[in-house]
């Protein structure tokens, strides 16, 4: 298990967000990814509340999408406004 997870009780999924009421959580995934990186940009990397968005996108988004978005951000071709 990753270091941040010490027991099975520490594993949590994203809570309900009224902005995304449907079963399809694609938008919620994308928005949480963008919100995490915006938060880090504005508040700094050590600002703890930003990790909420990271936990949400890590639980909702497929790893392939996150890898693709990370690559696009590093290349400067990411479509989102961060």
């Amino acid at each position: 298990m990753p270091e941040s997870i010490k027991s099975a009780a520490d594993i949590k999924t994203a809570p309900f967000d009224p902005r995304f009421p449907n079963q399809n959580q694609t938008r919620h995934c994308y928005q949480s990814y963008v919100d995490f990186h915006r938060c880090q940009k504005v508040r700094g990397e050590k600002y703890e509340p930003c990790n909420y968005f990271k936990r949400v996108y890590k639980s909702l988004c497929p790893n392939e999408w996150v890898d693709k978005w990370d690559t696009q951000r590093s290349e400067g071709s990411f479509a989102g406004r961060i």
Side-chain angles (χ1 to χ4, degrees):
M1 277 193 226
E3 293 176 16
S4 62
I5 300 173
K6 295 176 179 47
S7 70
D10 291 336
I11 299 174
K12 297 178 184 172
T13 189
F16 176 74
D17 189 335
R19 296 178 299 165
F20 309 101
N22 301 321
Q23 282 184 329
N24 187 345
Q25 293 294 301
T26 303
R27 275 189 170 157
H28 192 183
C29 155
Y30 178 77
Q31 191 61 51
S32 295
Y33 180 85
V34 171
D35 287 345
F36 170 71
H37 290 289
R38 275 187 194 152
C39 183
Q40 280 199 325
K41 182 179 178 182
V42 172
R43 300 287 185 155
E45 292 185 12
K46 295 185 180 188
Y47 188 64
E48 187 63 30
C50 293
N51 289 331
Y52 166 79
F53 297 114
K54 185 175 184 177
R55 284 193 308 272
V56 171
Y57 87 73
K58 288 283 189 180
S59 92
L60 292 177
C61 300
N63 292 332
E64 294 82 20
W65 292 5
V66 174
D67 293 341
K68 179 181 175 185
W69 294 336
D70 287 340
T71 303
Q72 289 175 344
R73 277 188 332 102
S74 65
E75 293 173 350
S77 61
F78 184 68
R81 293 182 183 171
I82 295 178

